[in-house]
Amino acid sequence: MKILVCISKTPDTTAKIAFTDNNTKFADAGVQFIVNPYDEWYALVRALELKEAGVASHVTLLTVGAADAEPIMRKALAIGGDDAIRVNAESSDSFYIASQIAAVATEGSYDLVLTGKETIDYNGSSIGGMVAELLNQPFVSLATKLDIAGGTASLSREIEGGEEKLETSLPLVVSCQKGMAEQRIPNMKGIMGARTKPLAVKEPVAVEALTTVVSFEMPPAKSGVKLVSADTPEELIRLLHEEAKVI
Amino acid sequence: MVLIFADQADGQIKKSTFEALSYGSKLAAQLGTTAEAVVLGAVDNASLEALGNYGVSKVHHDANAAFNQFDAQVYTKAIAALATQAGAKVIVFSSNTSGKAVAPRLSANLKAGLVSGAIALPDTSNGFVVKKNVFSAKAYANVQLLTDVKIIALSPNAFGVHATGGAAAVTAVSLPADGGKIKVTAVEKVTGTVPLGEAELVVSGGRGLKGPENWGLVEDLAKAMGASTACSRPVADAHWRPHHEHVGQTGGAIAPNLYVAIGISGAIQHLAGVNRSKTIVVINKDPEAPFFKAADYGIVGDAFDVVPKLTEAVKKLKGIA
Ligand SMILES: Cc1cc2nc3c(=O)[nH]c(=O)nc-3n(C[C@H](O)[C@H](O)[C@H](O)COP(=O)(O)OP(=O)(O)OC[C@H]3O[C@@H](n4cnc5c(N)ncnc54)[C@H](O)[C@@H]3O)c2cc1C
């Protein structure tokens, strides 16, 4: 069984969020980039566990991005994976990216495509579902558990106020979140080994974008905190009732 | 026509649906067209007619039992068929757990541009531009939908529920329901409280509470307010609280009317999950805690001293002895 893990490059969680070029571009000067945490901690690590358990034979990492995504792919390969592919294209349109992933998944006949539940920059939560539709495969979103035995996948996924357990067949697309696996810190051997793992570059397939980002903006600033003395906590409750009107 | 997916579980229309319907009917008014809803699976007729209270004139209902369990692939086919037949120009979802699975599939199926996590009605003065949360709600992006048919998945609690009164006409429809590959084997619900994502009031605790034995403080305040409980990541990691309570960048993202943070420092990754809350209250003994910068109200003080007094004050306000 072959697994394709989708990897996205995102700004570090503590990165300062600002925009340039008349608010049309993320200001990336001096920003540190990381592997999108959901892709790394949950999708990638679960894929590696499935390989270690003898369920999967091969784990390929895939990103759709420009050459500056390669250091991120090496970071991910340091955690694990047999090889990597970069589709040489940049886009903010989920459908464009999903179409590239679907093309790679078809060409390589992957049995399982894993994504993180969303990226921490675009927060789309859309790629997995689009890939599944393009491949005409089942899709399980926001999954917290994934096991595979005898060609059947058993999963848990988040629902409003709880969890649903389900079974389905392969091939399959899953978006992964907390619960799926635990974060792994790469060791020296992994980091050294990652340098020589194959990283193939593919040119994109032709696809029309369905959306485009026109501009970014910052939310209105908070007007500042109103402090209440610790000696009169009941005053806070009065404010929440009479001023904020939330209780 | 604006078509709204009215999501149900166990025959009950989900709360996030009422908000999606309110949004969809406002949008229809803006575009000068009608708002209609689609419901898949068994729901009683009174509940279907009642959707008119949120501004839809018509409800398309397919009661096929195949829809009683959720399979995004099957749901997508059915909604795509109806949207095409009925000539929907915009299809609206709540970006809840089903919306996140179906809306992207439908986008790929219909080649219709999707904006997920939308927080406002579109600006149609120059094309069709929808504002959405990006960078974990630290910024917004204005997204242009380039296609004729458009899909919007609304961020929960971003728009609010607006009841207008009125009943909808219910039409029985028969949509494709085959090809499902998912078999639901069990559903486990956390009982007793409102699901965190749907809660209007949330009381949350952090490492400042020292240990799980002190959570009575958080629970008592939450109970008095009628709030749900949440926690910071280290608290869930240490198993002081169940994982579903973890909010933040890597946990749940919520947008309640009130978020009360007790003994939480306000790390940027925590804020990423709660900064869309309408009112934020911070209780922290450290006046330098970064959370105060993101707060509307605060008390600098010891939680063990302050929180029981807050609970008493809420009880007094509500007339609970
Ligand atoms: C990639 C990444 C993702 C992350 N994702 C998340 C996430 O999703 N959610 C999340 O929460 N964190 C997340 N974190 C962790 C985050 O950076 C913080 O470490 C975490 O939020 C701190 O939790 P805390 O505020 O409960 O604890 P602390 O930072 O230890 O803060 C405890 C606070 O309690 C106060 N306090 C102590 N005693 C009292 C008292 N008696 N009365 C009142 N106040 C008191 C202290 O002044 C302090 O401000 C993430 C980190 C990384 C690197």
Side-chain angles (χ1 to χ4, degrees), chain B residues 207 210 232-233 246-250 263 265 269-270 284 302-303:
Chain B
R207 206 144 58 174
K210 313 277 188 282
S232 68
R233 178 169 151 214
H246 160 195
V247 291
Q249 185 105 61
T250 44
S265 57
Q269 298 93 355
H270 184 84
N284 197 303
D302 187 335

Side-chain angles (χ1 to χ4, degrees), chain A residues 237, chain B residues 220 224-225 310-321:
Chain A
I237 300 305
Chain B
D220 288 349
M225 285 184 167
L310 291 176
T311 305
E312 282 317 305
V314 174
K315 283 186 179 165
K316 214 164 138 195
L317 175 76
K318 298 204 160 184
I320 315 170

Side-chain angles (χ1 to χ4, degrees), chain A residues 93-100 130 134 207-208 210, chain B residues 107-108 111:
Chain A
D93 181 52
S94 303
F95 181 73
Y96 180 90
I97 295 169
S99 301
Q100 305 306 328
M130 290 179 176
L134 291 167
V207 181
E208 293 265 349
L210 308 180
Chain B
S107 167
K111 305 279 179 288

Side-chain angles (χ1 to χ4, degrees), chain B residues 128-150:
Chain B
F128 194 101
V129 177
V130 186
K131 189 177 300 219
K132 83 176 288 283
N133 284 312
V134 287
F135 296 100
S136 306
K138 282 175 257 177
Y140 306 138
N142 294 305
V143 181
Q144 175 84 263
L145 298 182
L146 303 167
T147 49
D148 183 29
V149 176
K150 299 162 179 79

Side-chain angles (χ1 to χ4, degrees), chain B residues 15-316:
Chain B
K15 186 187 152 206
S16 44
T17 287
F18 301 134
E19 186 180 27
L21 292 167
S22 301
Y23 179 93
S25 53
K26 283 262 165 64
L27 172 60
Q30 181 184 335
L31 300 176
T33 181
T34 55
E36 302 179 6
V38 54
V39 178
L40 302 177
V43 174
D44 68 69
N45 219 56
S47 306
L48 294 172
E49 285 175 1
L51 299 182
N53 189 26
Y54 308 98
V56 289
S57 54
K58 192 169 172 182
V59 175
H60 304 268
H61 180 219
D62 190 333
N64 191 331
F67 295 124
N68 289 349
Q69 69 157 16
F70 178 79
D71 182 333
Q73 198 171 11
V74 179
Y75 272 44
T76 300
K77 243 196 230 172
I79 298 168
L82 179 70
T84 308
Q85 267 167 40
K89 283 288 173 218
V90 187
I91 306 155
V92 175
F93 290 84
S94 170
S95 203
N96 61 14
T97 60
S98 354
K100 281 181 177 157
V102 181
R105 288 200 79 119
L106 190 67
S107 167
N109 184 298
L110 297 174
K111 305 279 179 288
L114 162 69
V115 58
S116 62
I119 55 167
L121 287 165
D123 176 353
T124 47
S125 61
N126 186 8
F128 194 101
V129 177
V130 186
K131 189 177 300 219
K132 83 176 288 283
N133 284 312
V134 287
F135 296 100
S136 306
K138 282 175 257 177
Y140 306 138
N142 294 305
V143 181
Q144 175 84 263
L145 298 182
L146 303 167
T147 49
D148 183 29
V149 176
K150 299 162 179 79
I151 305 177
I152 300 174
L154 179 66
S155 184
N157 280 349
F159 190 74
V161 176
H162 306 275
T164 52
V170 180
T171 316
V173 290
S174 177
L175 301 169
D178 58 311
K181 296 193 189 90
I182 284 177
K183 195 174 110 214
V184 175
T185 52
V187 172
E188 285 164 10
K189 290 242 179 176
V190 182
T191 51
T193 55
V194 182
L196 203 45
E198 293 185 354
E200 285 173 8
L201 309 173
V202 174
V203 179
S204 186
R207 206 144 58 174
L209 286 166
K210 313 277 188 282
E213 65 280 7
N214 297 323
W215 238 261
L217 280 183
V218 172
E219 282 173 341
D220 288 349
L221 179 59
K223 194 163 166 235
M225 285 184 167
S228 297
T229 50
C231 68
S232 68
R233 178 169 151 214
V235 165
D237 284 352
H239 303 290
W240 295 0
R241 298 298 292 174
H243 276 300
H244 65 81
E245 286 199 0
H246 160 195
V247 291
Q249 185 105 61
T250 44
I254 57 173
N257 290 338
L258 174 64
Y259 183 75
V260 182
I262 304 171
I264 303 177
S265 57
I268 191 156
Q269 298 93 355
H270 184 84
L271 295 180
V274 302
N275 54 8
R276 288 194 300 114
S277 308
K278 307 233 159 56
T279 300
I280 294 180
V281 172
V282 170
I283 317 290
N284 197 303
K285 69 173 184 190
D286 174 9
E288 301 296 322
F291 221 146
F292 284 116
K293 292 206 179 66
D296 299 287
Y297 299 95
I299 293 183
V300 178
D302 187 335
F304 293 92
D305 167 47
V306 170
V307 177
K309 290 181 185 156
L310 291 176
T311 305
E312 282 317 305
V314 174
K315 283 186 179 165
K316 214 164 138 195

